[in-house]
Amino acid sequence: MNDNEKKLKLILGIKKRGIKDNRILNIIETIDRGIFLDGIFKARSLDDVPLPIKCGQTISQPSVVAMMTEKLKLTKRCKVLEVGTGSGYQTAILSKLSRRVYTVERHENLKKKAEKLLNYHGFKNITTILGDGSLGIEKQAPFDRIILTAAAEDIPQILLQQLKIGGIMVLPIGLPQSDQTLIQLRKTATQVIYDEIAKVRFVPLLEGIAFQKGA
Ligand code: SAH
């Protein structure tokens, strides 16, 4: 299969999983996932699978990225918080659909690499931050949308507080190394509404900034 055929297959697969938003399908078609991958993994950028990145982390599967993005219901007015920059792939997609993205990563190497890559490729509305994203970003709160790309055991209450009323949060919930549930959470003035989206597997949301070997 050549790259065009692979891309067609990827997009068809994503549509089959129920993603209908053409903006998202177009963005996934346009942004080269290969630039976020290293070495031999670049050749697999069009496969609908998670792949290893540095620091023992993974780049998410395109269909899951599409699903999470769709459930966020982004508009160009949204101020978004992403917890878990990783490769920066999901960040790039969010940036195309919102006003500004604040993305937090606990591994300095990943943060620096993603920042450089996103700058180089001209993504201008992204702020990359080294930190523990489960604490949110106090001085930028509240956010219209929050997305976690690492699985929490429970909904981080600080993030819920930093979500605007009328805001949406999408996150995987569950224990590491087991099936987790992708949740869409909507905050109203009086309640929090939860909807289960799918079963997923993500790396765990960990506390604090990662210790860097050799630093
Ligand atoms: N969306 C990313 C997924 C990366 S995997 C991509 O497609 O590349 C999830 C990332 O969350 C990892 O890089 C991990 O280091 C990071 N992470 C885990 N716990 C975190 C925390 N508390 N704060 C910030 N980042 C965290």
Side-chain angles (χ1 to χ4, degrees):
M1 229 191 274
N2 67 32
D3 275 1
N4 277 337
E5 289 163 339
K6 278 193 199 166
K7 199 176 263 187
L8 199 64
K9 185 172 168 229
L10 174 68
I11 299 297
L12 281 175
I14 294 174
K15 280 188 183 169
K16 260 198 189 150
R17 293 193 69 164
I19 284 85
K20 295 188 189 75
D21 189 334
N22 277 324
R23 295 175 312 163
I24 297 174
L25 295 167
N26 286 339
I27 290 169
I28 291 199
E29 216 176 318
T30 329
I31 296 180
D32 177 7
R33 185 169 174 248
I35 62 173
F36 298 93
L37 289 162
D38 301 306
I40 53 163
F41 297 113
K42 280 188 185 289
R44 299 189 56 196
S45 68
L46 292 166
D47 295 349
D48 194 17
V49 291
L51 292 166
I53 55 172
K54 296 237 157 59
C55 306
Q57 305 302 314
T58 51
I59 185 170
S60 307
Q61 188 178 342
S63 59
V64 173
V65 169
M67 197 188 298
M68 291 174 83
T69 308
E70 189 169 68
K71 292 294 174 183
L72 274 176
K73 299 197 175 300
L74 292 164
T75 72
K76 273 295 197 185
R77 302 169 73 128
C78 285
K79 179 178 180 180
V80 182
L81 170 65
E82 179 190 36
V83 177
T85 316
S87 65
Y89 177 58
Q90 169 83 71
T91 324
I93 291 170
L94 297 172
S95 104
K96 292 279 182 201
L97 295 164
S98 45
R99 177 164 56 84
R100 176 148 287 277
V101 183
Y102 294 87
T103 182
V104 187
E105 172 55 56
R106 64 186 291 279
H107 279 281
E108 190 171 9
N109 281 342
L110 291 177
K111 182 258 179 195
K112 281 190 176 156
K113 187 165 188 256
E115 184 172 44
K116 216 168 144 186
L117 202 65
L118 292 164
N119 276 334
Y120 179 79
H121 289 280
F123 294 92
K124 299 213 185 310
N125 57 344
I126 298 172
T127 307
T128 45
I129 295 152
L130 175 70
D132 179 347
S134 58
L135 305 175
I137 312 169
E138 186 82 53
K139 61 174 192 279
Q140 292 300 340
F143 296 94
D144 299 290
R145 303 287 186 265
I146 300 181
I147 176 171
L148 280 79
T149 70
E153 291 183 19
D154 279 309
I155 292 159
Q157 289 305 306
I158 302 179
L159 295 185
L160 194 53
Q161 282 162 17
Q162 292 188 12
L163 185 66
K164 266 187 204 167
I165 290 176
I168 300 175
M169 184 174 351
V170 172
L171 75 168
I173 292 280
L175 299 173
Q177 316 294 335
S178 66
D179 272 355
Q180 301 142 0
T181 310
L182 193 62
I183 307 258
Q184 182 202 49
L185 173 165
R186 282 169 295 146
K187 182 174 172 179
T188 73
T190 52
Q191 58 178 337
V192 178
I193 304 160
Y194 302 87
D195 276 309
E196 290 190 15
I197 307 168
K199 290 287 172 214
V200 286
R201 273 197 186 216
F202 276 84
V203 296
L205 184 74
L206 299 173
E207 274 179 22
I209 294 176
F211 171 72
Q212 202 152 307
K213 276 189 221 144

